[in-house]
Amino acid sequence: MEASVAIQVLPQRVGGNDEVCRIVDEAIAYIQTRFPDAYVGPFETTIQGEYDACMEVVAGVSRICTQAGAPEVATYVKIFFAPEEGVLTTEEKITKYHRDER
């Protein structure tokens, strides 16, 4: 795995919070069709894998939002790329913070 990518979409000029959430849900559903193990957080969704596959999703996610009804969308992307050594997985980064404490 050579890339870890965080994607945040913010539909613009849409109804209200319900409409924003509906469109963001469609974007997340699209991401999950390509990366079923995507980590959905409160501000962004993180994917990990081969760089080109990740970039295809980045390119497609804004189109999904406009097809879902947003006349405009702001897309924020953070990319960590390490083709030789690979990247830390999402699980390696967050497991210690999400342990089941029963």
Side-chain angles (χ1 to χ4, degrees):
M1 177 172 42
E2 60 185 16
S4 180
V5 179
I7 306 166
Q8 179 185 37
V9 293
L10 298 173
Q12 305 292 301
R13 297 191 303 126
V14 296
N17 288 340
D18 288 344
E19 186 66 358
V20 168
C21 289
R22 183 190 67 77
I23 294 168
V24 169
D25 286 345
E26 290 199 32
I28 292 168
Y30 163 73
I31 293 168
Q32 290 176 323
T33 64
R34 302 291 302 278
F35 289 89
D37 63 341
Y39 181 82
V40 179
F43 292 101
E44 61 196 14
T45 298
T46 304
I47 59 176
Q48 52 196 13
E50 298 306 311
Y51 181 80
D52 290 339
C54 291
M55 293 303 100
E56 286 177 18
V57 169
V58 168
V61 76
S62 295
R63 286 186 179 90
I64 293 297
C65 291
T66 58
Q67 290 169 4
E72 302 171 350
V73 60
T75 304
Y76 300 92
V77 180
K78 294 185 270 187
I79 303 167
F80 187 82
F81 180 58
E84 300 298 321
E85 296 178 19
V87 298
L88 287 172
T89 67
T90 300
E91 186 173 304
E92 290 171 319
K93 293 176 188 175
I94 67 169
T95 298
K96 64 184 174 184
Y97 300 109
H98 296 277
R99 290 190 184 123
D100 185 10
E101 298 183 14
R102 289 185 225 171

